Amino acid sequence: MSHKLIDRARQRFSAETGSNAKPWGGRLSVALVYPNTYHHAMSNLGYLSVYQMLNARDDTLCERFFLPDPDDLKEHRRSGFPLFSLESQRALGDFDVVAFSLSFENDYLNLPVILDLGGLPLWREERGEGHPLLLAGGVCAFMNPEPLAEIFDLFAVGEAEVLLPTLLATLQQDEITRDELLINLAQQPGFYVPSYYTPHYDPEGTLLGYHVEQPAPKKVARQWQADLDQGVVRGEVQTRETEFGEMSLVEVSRGCSRGCRFCVAGYLFLPPREHQLDNLKKSCQQGLQTRKRLGLVGAAVSDYPDLGALQAFIDESGGESSLASLRIDALSEEDVLALKQGGHRTVALAPEAGSQRLRDHINKGLDEEQILNAVRILAAGEILNLKLYFLVGLPEETDEDIEELLALVTKARDIWVEEGKKLGRLGTLLLSVNPFVPKPFTPLQWAAMPREAMLKKTMRRLQSAVGRMANVEFTFESVRASILQALLARGDRRVGKLLPQLAEGQKLKPACRDLDLDPDAYVHRERLQDEVFPWEILDSGVTRSYLWKEFLNAHSGKVTPRCSAGCSRCGVCS
């Protein structure tokens, strides 16, 4: 008998494809789960790429699962109707493998909800031969898997292009038990099987290290794709029900050479790599068959050496381009003209800090003149709205740094208004401020996050000052959500036990008290040089000694040059 939830899923899938799902046909079945809604998942090129790679194989079938939209979630809970796949409306437990794509720490709170709706036990020790294998991939899986180590059977440590062939070949073996499968995978590069690693602590609860069972390695090394052109370039599955629904997403590059000391994406995706221009042109031609606008994706799209030629090709082909990121010091009048022709009404820049001292601390590599020049170029180029991203709560931040941030915003606003009057229209300056969250495998992994009261005080100060500026709007990320993000990013296995309570709406501090955990020790404490970190069960490729040197450089305000071909400073390329 039909159910309205299934009817809505079929309508959504039909809108994407105009066809019905393929039969299973005896293939290995993979449930690809994004722990947020369809709207968020279908804007994620990494998630779409894995889906495409799996379904391109004759021996594998992949179907998608998402966190239900709020109204659908209520209906699931009211009716007891299970979670099912978008393609064929099969249950989560019917698949051989349930693979989660983890991009954001705060999405961890959706794991208990999804597994409960799917009829699967949350904890690894409660699942056996009759259950699917639970796999976690995505950037969070190779940043710090430990908070989820009691949930997942397996973590994919690195990029899918390298890991999928080995994973699927192992899973396709006949007459192999669950334990034998995990033993085999534990010996393969890039797979972390947490059941073979037992953390041990001192009497005060400080992590001392891990007992590692044979045949697992002492550390699991991150795997990365050397030649991006051998992988997926463009997202082929498209829907208009997302933020980027009006564009076709094309990956231009991966990684970043800039070395911003707070940026986990900049360090976890080293070395920086790029697609060849000819390959990108082919992908853009394909994308323009379904969408007029192409979204060019990458951590440092502005640094792509052939960006001008690529944008010219898109323009000549009758399309428009949208850049995922703009570098302030790489912005040109030609870039702004391309943005205008592409229909951009809002462009974002990321000075990150208001004072030169803090910009040097985080190795941003920008000065005030460059920032204001970029603002002027954008304003004169008739871009209507400008968004400026800043971090607050950076290490060693003072009241003077906040004053300099406000002074920089004032100067930017004056330029915006001045140029707007020349053009006969005034756009909006949007100030987007986020609390600094220290992340694993970055030089600032040793730093402490400021306490909630201090961050809220800074927020109120900025909000009050910006509120008096005409044509300036202000947004500030939730301080409590940021603190939770820090806890989940920096936590060990004990932190994962909080997820069921937090998913049910319990506040963080009471949930921590119930489990005898001290959140301040994870979040608000500067770490010791030789302290053992939970995430160091993995090897990102960047040496700890290099990260520590960069941490010291941050304190002394020393700027480090960007990495270049042949560079061997951090250890990845050596």
Side-chain angles (χ1 to χ4, degrees):
M1 188 171 80
S2 180
H3 190 283
K4 61 184 179 181
L5 290 169
I6 286 182
D7 291 339
R8 283 202 287 269
R10 286 174 175 161
Q11 291 168 7
R12 182 172 269 173
F13 182 61
S14 177
E16 285 183 3
T17 64
S19 65
N20 294 319
K22 299 176 184 177
W24 293 64
R27 290 170 286 179
L28 177 77
S29 58
V30 180
L32 187 61
V33 187
Y34 194 87
N36 210 308
T37 62
Y38 177 87
H39 174 86
H40 288 87
M42 299 308 291
S43 298
N44 188 304
L45 184 55
Y47 178 80
L48 297 178
S49 298
V50 172
Y51 179 73
Q52 291 167 210
M53 284 186 272
L54 289 169
N55 280 324
R57 298 173 59 106
D58 294 332
D59 59 359
T60 307
L61 177 139
C62 177
E63 299 190 357
R64 289 166 291 166
F65 287 77
F66 314 98
L67 179 74
D69 294 327
D71 289 342
D72 285 350
L73 182 57
K74 291 178 183 177
E75 175 64 16
H76 274 288
R77 285 174 162 165
R78 184 195 64 78
S79 65
F81 207 78
L83 194 66
F84 49 80
S85 67
L86 180 66
E87 284 78 1
S88 65
Q89 293 80 56
R90 288 178 169 88
L92 196 62
D94 290 344
F95 289 77
D96 299 312
V97 180
V98 176
F100 281 78
S101 177
L102 303 175
S103 299
F104 304 101
E105 296 91 339
N106 289 33
D107 285 346
Y108 296 177
L109 271 63
N110 296 327
L111 298 177
V113 178
I114 290 172
L115 292 175
D116 180 57
L117 291 177
L120 297 179
L122 176 65
W123 305 116
R124 167 169 49 82
E125 63 183 13
E126 296 175 3
R127 299 190 301 269
E129 290 290 344
H131 293 106
L133 195 73
L134 253 66
L135 164 71
V139 64
C140 289
F142 55 96
M143 180 185 70
N144 180 16
E146 281 302 276
L148 305 178
E150 300 292 350
I151 294 176
F152 287 97
D153 301 297
L154 179 68
F155 292 85
V157 181
E159 297 172 7
E161 295 93 338
V162 183
L163 295 171
L164 275 180
T166 300
L167 173 66
L168 296 176
T170 306
L171 293 172
Q172 299 279 2
Q173 295 179 53
D174 294 329
E175 298 181 4
I176 185 170
T177 68
R178 186 187 194 89
D179 288 341
E180 290 170 340
L181 180 66
L182 292 172
I183 289 172
N184 289 350
L185 286 169
Q187 299 173 72
Q188 302 297 330
F191 292 102
Y192 173 48
V193 181
S195 57
Y196 290 101
Y197 299 80
T198 304
H200 53 97
Y201 307 89
D202 69 12
E204 285 71 44
T206 301
L207 180 66
L208 297 177
Y210 291 84
H211 171 71
V212 183
E213 294 182 32
Q214 295 293 330
K218 289 185 177 180
K219 289 194 174 189
V220 179
R222 174 182 66 99
Q223 306 296 300
W224 48 275
Q225 176 78 1
D227 183 1
L228 292 189
D229 288 320
Q230 297 301 310
V232 174
V233 183
R234 183 180 67 87
E236 295 178 2
V237 182
Q238 295 178 321
T239 174
R240 299 192 186 277
E241 292 188 45
T242 76
E243 180 181 356
F244 307 119
E246 299 304 317
M247 63 179 72
S248 181
L249 301 180
V250 178
E251 183 185 57
V252 172
S253 61
R254 199 176 295 177
C256 178
S257 64
R258 299 283 181 159
C260 296
R261 293 176 179 131
F262 64 90
C263 181
V264 67
Y267 277 88
L268 273 187
F269 287 93
L270 288 173
R273 291 147 287 154
E274 299 158 345
H275 288 279
Q276 294 295 319
L277 179 60
D278 288 345
N279 198 30
L280 284 175
K281 286 181 177 180
K282 292 176 185 177
S283 295
C284 288
Q285 282 181 322
Q286 294 168 351
L288 289 173
Q289 294 175 12
T290 59
R291 298 287 191 273
K292 183 180 180 181
R293 178 174 292 187
L294 300 174
L296 304 182
V297 178
V301 176
S302 303
D303 288 341
Y304 184 63
D306 294 316
L307 181 60
L310 180 61
Q311 289 181 301
F313 172 80
I314 295 170
D315 184 56
E316 292 164 5
S317 302
E320 302 170 352
S321 60
S322 172
L323 304 187
S325 59
L326 284 174
R327 278 295 304 189
I328 289 172
D329 57 347
L331 190 66
S332 67
E333 293 178 0
E334 291 76 16
D335 293 332
V336 176
L337 178 60
L339 291 169
K340 180 187 173 185
Q341 292 173 340
H344 283 70
R345 295 172 58 83
T346 302
V347 169
L349 300 177
E352 309 292 6
S355 69
Q356 190 62 50
R357 185 180 69 85
L358 283 186
R359 286 194 294 273
D360 290 345
H361 186 103
I362 61 176
N363 205 45
K364 189 64 183 178
L366 293 173
D367 59 34
E368 184 175 285
E369 182 180 352
Q370 291 171 311
I371 297 168
L372 297 178
N373 182 58
V375 172
R376 190 177 299 279
I377 291 174
L378 286 166
E382 300 185 45
I383 299 298
L384 186 60
N385 305 306
L386 175 64
K387 180 182 286 189
L388 296 177
Y389 286 106
F390 288 97
L391 294 171
V392 295
L394 286 164
E396 302 182 14
E397 179 183 272
T398 66
D399 288 344
E400 288 72 23
D401 295 306
I402 300 302
E403 285 299 323
E404 289 194 53
L405 189 159
L406 288 169
L408 178 61
V409 172
T410 300
K411 293 173 185 177
R413 176 195 171 276
D414 290 345
I415 292 171
W416 205 251
V417 170
E418 176 188 344
E419 295 296 332
K421 287 180 178 177
K422 293 178 185 177
L423 299 171
R425 60 180 183 179
L426 290 180
T428 299
L429 200 66
L430 177 63
L431 190 63
S432 179
V433 181
N434 299 309
F436 160 69
V437 177
K439 290 294 182 80
F441 293 118
T442 68
L444 296 187
Q445 66 182 350
W446 282 275
M449 184 177 182
R451 294 181 181 275
E452 182 177 352
M454 182 179 296
L455 289 167
K456 287 186 173 181
K457 179 181 177 182
T458 302
M459 175 191 70
R460 290 191 295 269
R461 180 180 176 185
L462 291 172
Q463 197 166 24
S464 175
V466 171
R468 296 191 292 270
M469 299 181 187
N471 299 98
V472 180
E473 297 178 3
F474 178 83
T475 63
F476 196 93
E477 185 177 331
S478 164
V479 172
R480 289 184 178 178
S482 297
I483 289 173
L484 175 60
Q485 180 189 154
L487 177 63
L488 296 175
R490 295 157 67 84
D492 54 30
R493 294 194 186 187
R494 296 169 294 188
V495 166
K497 295 295 184 181
L498 293 167
L499 293 180
Q501 294 94 313
L502 297 177
E504 290 297 322
Q506 187 175 6
K507 297 288 179 61
L508 179 59
K509 289 184 178 179
C512 286
R513 280 198 300 270
D514 290 345
L515 293 175
D516 197 25
L517 291 177
D518 179 9
D520 290 356
Y522 293 101
V523 178
H524 303 302
R525 175 178 62 85
E526 183 168 313
R527 306 301 178 93
L528 302 175
Q529 177 182 354
D530 297 324
E531 186 168 338
V532 176
F533 296 139
W535 50 90
E536 287 181 321
I537 201 67
L538 308 182
D539 178 4
S540 73
V542 181
T543 64
R544 190 184 225 258
S545 59
Y546 179 78
L547 293 174
W548 177 253
K549 180 180 178 181
E550 280 295 281
F551 180 64
L552 297 179
N553 285 343
H555 282 290
S556 62
K558 183 178 179 181
V559 175
T560 302
R562 61 191 294 185
C563 65
S564 57
C567 164
S568 59
R569 293 189 308 245
C570 76
V572 169
C573 295
S574 60

